[in-house]
Amino acid sequence: MIPFFLLLLLYAPIIYYNSSNLSPNFFIIIIIYCGFKYSRITIIIISFFLGIFQDFLIQYEYLGITSILIISFGYAIGNIKKIKNIYMKYIFIIISIFIFFYSNEFITSSENFFLIIKNSLINTFITVATYFLIRFLFRRRFFIIEK
Amino acid sequence: MKKIYNLYRDFLIFILCCLISILLFLIKDTNNIKKVRFNISNLFSIIYSPKDLFNKLSSLEEENIILMNNLKIISENNKVLEQRLRDTKKYFKYDDKLSKLIPNYNFIPGRIIEHSFSGIADFFTINIGLKDGVPKDSKGVINFNGDLIGRTFSINDYNTQIHKITDKNFNVFVTTNNGIKGQFSYINGNNGMMASVSKKYEKEIEPGDTIYTSNSSTVFAPNIPVAKIISIKNSAQKHELDIKVKILADINSINNVFIVE
């Protein structure tokens, strides 16, 4: 599943909006997927490697910084197994995704506050929508891991 | 200790990963890290190559369209330049040719930039004016074959209006080869008439004779060909000969003119 997400990461379309690149973050989707499947320590380690990989490839100027954000996100997602209600799990995931995007935009972008909020919301929406699309396509697999 | 480790294991791993990330941030400008980044980029570019190829193909199509448009523009420019070259070849040494046709006069070349077809008068504008040496006084204007096409009318520093021979208000004193004098007036199309010719000259004029500007004008230089006689009628109701003429110059197809100074 993870190599499939990585392929999607390469070939996913990018929307150019207000001089920003808006696209679903497949690293986040991978971490959410792992959040349901693996233990917290595994998620942290996967997040660490994904973060380093992303930093080396995309955000070399912020090498290490973005990976800290992804590790933090992974650490937060590692707690979803403690939440019993599936809806509450997804509310927690969406809030975590928004916080991740906001922090990422805040560090890497020089735009004003409202634009950062707007871009974070759009990115959150795109990522969540993509996650649910994948979840719908592989519903059997997700149904098993979400239990 | 082991109990504490088990209790905070996840958190300790998290802190360790964060510390490694911070360490990477601090040493990101070292050569080893740059080398690692270079290798990862190379690996990534291999995986990315199909998409890169697709992007290149789509940009190739766009580039092709841009090049086609550029080619169109260049072709149009080429046509304009070819026309200019033809004009240059045609009008090269115009002075020699016109001096042979109308000796002892200077010729100022000009290019028609605008035709005006007002109801009152028929003019066109040329691209030379007082600053180019066009005289203030009205002067005759000819085409490259030396045929009369009008006279200068309104002159400013940069442009000159030419009163066309095909205007109904245009009149010029003319003479035949035999020295028979009359007045040219425009009728319609390419046709005009030679008025004020006495009936006693009926046998001295023949259809096909060319009429020229006479030497009794300060505007027109003498002997500029104006028109060709096409018919002569001796009507009993008129006191003069009814002479129809055809204008020699093709007014509609000229681009360059010469003011006879």
Side-chain angles (χ1 to χ4, degrees):
Chain A
M1 200 71 183
I2 292 171
F4 167 73
F5 284 129
L6 284 172
L7 269 178
L8 279 178
L9 167 76
L10 293 175
Y11 290 95
I14 296 168
I15 304 160
Y16 292 98
Y17 175 74
N18 272 356
S19 72
S20 301
N21 296 340
L22 304 174
S23 67
N25 191 324
F26 285 96
F27 291 117
I28 293 294
I29 294 172
I30 291 168
I31 293 165
I32 298 166
Y33 175 79
C34 295
F36 285 108
K37 202 172 181 183
Y38 304 113
S39 64
R40 191 159 68 179
I41 195 160
T42 318
I43 298 161
I44 292 166
I45 291 163
I46 290 171
S47 304
F48 170 72
F49 284 110
L50 288 176
I52 296 293
F53 184 65
Q54 183 181 348
D55 278 349
F56 269 111
L57 279 181
I58 305 160
Q59 288 169 317
Y60 186 72
E61 274 188 39
Y62 301 97
L63 179 71
I65 301 295
T66 328
S67 62
I68 290 175
L69 290 176
I70 292 185
I71 294 161
S72 305
F73 178 76
Y75 186 77
I77 291 298
N79 292 315
I80 56 169
K81 277 186 181 166
K82 289 177 185 172
I83 305 167
K84 298 287 176 203
N85 189 312
I86 187 74
Y87 299 109
M88 287 308 290
K89 276 184 184 180
Y90 279 113
I91 288 167
F92 177 75
I93 288 168
I94 291 166
I95 291 167
S96 304
I97 294 171
F98 174 74
I99 292 167
F100 167 77
F101 278 122
Y102 177 79
S103 314
N104 194 32
E105 286 275 327
F106 185 78
I107 292 165
T108 57
S109 168
S110 56
E111 302 289 353
N112 61 50
F113 173 75
F114 291 104
L115 207 63
I116 288 173
I117 289 281
K118 194 171 83 176
N119 285 348
S120 306
L121 282 171
I122 293 169
N123 274 325
T124 305
F125 173 76
I126 292 170
T127 307
V128 170
T130 312
Y131 174 79
F132 279 107
L133 182 73
I134 295 165
R135 185 179 178 270
F136 175 74
L137 293 172
F138 301 94
R139 50 188 174 276
R140 277 188 184 175
R141 188 185 285 260
F142 274 83
F143 184 72
I144 295 162
I145 61 161
E146 279 177 5
K147 263 189 172 179
Chain B
M1 190 70 184
K2 201 176 180 185
K3 210 174 182 182
I4 292 168
Y5 170 76
N6 284 335
L7 199 63
Y8 296 106
R9 190 184 58 182
D10 297 352
F11 187 70
L12 285 172
I13 296 291
F14 168 69
I15 295 292
L16 184 71
C17 289
C18 288
L19 285 173
I20 295 167
S21 298
I22 291 165
L23 186 71
L24 280 171
F25 179 72
L26 294 174
I27 59 164
K28 66 173 181 170
D29 292 326
T30 58
N31 285 335
N32 287 335
I33 295 292
K34 281 180 182 173
K35 215 177 266 181
V36 171
R37 192 217 171 192
F38 181 74
N39 289 333
I40 290 176
S41 296
N42 278 348
L43 178 75
F44 187 76
S45 66
I46 294 165
I47 306 165
Y48 195 74
S49 57
K51 191 181 180 182
D52 194 37
L53 182 73
F54 180 74
N55 285 343
K56 275 179 185 170
L57 283 174
S58 62
S59 67
L60 196 70
E61 198 177 339
E62 278 174 21
E63 273 178 30
N64 196 28
I65 292 165
I66 292 164
L67 284 172
M68 292 280 274
N69 288 334
N70 284 344
L71 190 69
K72 270 184 193 172
I73 293 164
I74 289 166
S75 302
E76 280 167 17
N77 287 342
N78 198 27
K79 277 180 189 169
V80 172
L81 288 171
E82 274 179 1
Q83 181 60 44
R84 279 189 191 171
L85 192 66
R86 277 200 294 274
D87 284 354
T88 310
K89 278 180 183 170
K90 188 179 171 184
Y91 296 111
F92 180 61
K93 291 187 176 177
Y94 71 90
D95 220 22
D96 293 349
K97 184 186 173 183
L98 293 174
S99 292
K100 279 177 193 169
L101 295 167
I102 309 156
N104 304 323
Y105 281 89
N106 291 324
F107 307 96
I108 306 164
R111 187 164 53 82
I112 296 170
I113 51 173
E114 190 185 6
H115 282 268
S116 83
F117 299 99
S118 72
I120 304 160
D122 204 356
F123 293 105
F124 57 70
T125 310
I126 60 170
N127 66 338
I128 51 169
L130 293 170
K131 293 213 167 174
D132 302 294
V134 176
K136 269 187 182 178
D137 303 325
S138 189
K139 294 288 173 192
V141 180
I142 59 171
N143 66 6
F144 188 56
N145 295 326
D147 304 324
L148 188 73
I149 55 167
R151 68 185 177 96
T152 57
F153 182 72
S154 169
I155 309 151
N156 64 29
D157 283 349
Y158 304 101
N159 298 120
T160 304
Q161 268 194 333
I162 309 290
H163 189 191
K164 284 187 197 177
I165 193 171
T166 52
D167 183 67
K168 283 181 180 170
N169 299 316
F170 188 92
N171 293 299
V172 56
F173 288 113
V174 289
T175 178
T176 63
N177 280 330
N178 310 335
I180 298 160
K181 291 185 178 176
Q183 186 182 323
F184 167 85
S185 300
Y186 175 72
I187 303 172
N188 57 30
N190 251 3
N191 302 315
M193 61 181 284
M194 184 180 174
S196 309
V197 179
S198 173
K199 285 185 175 182
K200 66 180 181 183
Y201 297 119
E202 189 187 356
K203 289 181 181 175
E204 292 178 41
I205 309 171
E206 283 181 7
D209 285 355
T210 304
I211 57 172
Y212 302 89
T213 52
S214 73
N215 55 7
S216 56
S217 167
T218 53
V219 176
F220 300 100
N223 299 322
I224 299 172
V226 178
K228 195 164 266 190
I229 296 168
I230 51 172
S231 71
I232 304 157
K233 279 184 187 170
N234 189 349
S235 174
Q237 289 92 21
K238 290 183 181 175
H239 299 290
E240 300 163 351
L241 288 172
D242 187 6
I243 304 170
K244 294 264 169 65
V245 297
K246 192 173 184 179
I247 297 165
L248 291 169
D250 184 4
I251 299 291
N252 297 323
S253 67
I254 49 170
N255 291 319
N256 300 289
V257 296
F258 302 89
I259 297 167
V260 185
E261 193 186 2

